[in-house]
Amino acid sequence: MAEVADQMLRNDVRSMPVVDDDERLVGIISRRDILRAMVRGDDVLAAEVQHRLDEYADGRSRWTATVEDGVATVTGEFDDETERTVVTVMARTVPGIAAARIGEMTSS
């Protein structure tokens, strides 16, 4: 996505063709398409982080992800420090997430 945006800016164009391996036209990508993909609200980001974490946990909801101002916070129990690191990195890979951290567990 970043490479396409860079090429659009360098060539001062508002859209670019998308071609397959045989160089056949399969679509067009516009600046608006890029903006839609990159500019997403905290609720959408939280849902995507949560989905990735649930997939990593084989469909179980082991952790809870929240997002505020683009910063993801993941709460829950972790088996070890490696798992904490993996979960933090996974949250950070969601486009639009500026930072990720592990939050404190709260008791009810």
Side-chain angles (χ1 to χ4, degrees), residues 39-56:
V39 179
R40 301 182 294 165
D42 287 342
D43 56 337
V44 173
L45 295 172
E48 186 168 341
V49 171
Q50 188 67 57
H51 177 74
R52 289 185 187 197
L53 297 180
D54 292 348
E55 278 191 337
Y56 176 71

Side-chain angles (χ1 to χ4, degrees), residues 36-107:
R36 273 194 195 121
M38 300 308 288
V39 179
R40 301 182 294 165
D42 287 342
D43 56 337
V44 173
L45 295 172
E48 186 168 341
V49 171
Q50 188 67 57
H51 177 74
R52 289 185 187 197
L53 297 180
D54 292 348
E55 278 191 337
Y56 176 71
D58 293 326
R60 295 174 289 139
S61 294
R62 289 187 57 196
W63 308 286
T64 301
T66 58
V67 177
E68 187 173 332
D69 296 328
V71 176
T73 301
V74 179
T75 56
E77 294 187 24
F78 299 87
D79 293 338
D80 53 33
E81 194 59 35
T82 300
E83 188 171 71
R84 290 171 68 94
T85 301
V86 168
V87 166
T88 303
V89 169
M90 287 179 66
R92 240 188 345 239
T93 63
V94 172
I97 295 294
R101 64 187 182 92
I102 301 299
E104 295 295 320
M105 290 288 296
T106 58
S107 57

Side-chain angles (χ1 to χ4, degrees), residues 4 8 16 25 32 45 73 99 108:
V4 172
M8 286 179 166
M16 292 182 71
L25 181 67
R32 175 174 268 168
L45 295 172
T73 301
S108 44

Side-chain angles (χ1 to χ4, degrees), residues 1 4-5 8 29-39:
M1 189 81 66
V4 172
M8 286 179 166
I29 187 165
S30 69
R31 288 182 183 182
R32 175 174 268 168
D33 296 327
I34 292 171
L35 283 173
R36 273 194 195 121
M38 300 308 288
V39 179

Side-chain angles (χ1 to χ4, degrees), residues 4-37:
V4 172
D6 183 55
Q7 287 296 320
M8 286 179 166
L9 289 171
R10 286 177 192 244
N11 295 299
D12 195 28
V13 295
R14 296 187 180 277
S15 61
M16 292 182 71
V18 178
V19 296
D20 63 13
D21 291 336
D22 296 324
E23 297 191 15
R24 287 181 293 195
L25 181 67
V26 294
I28 301 283
I29 187 165
S30 69
R31 288 182 183 182
R32 175 174 268 168
D33 296 327
I34 292 171
L35 283 173
R36 273 194 195 121

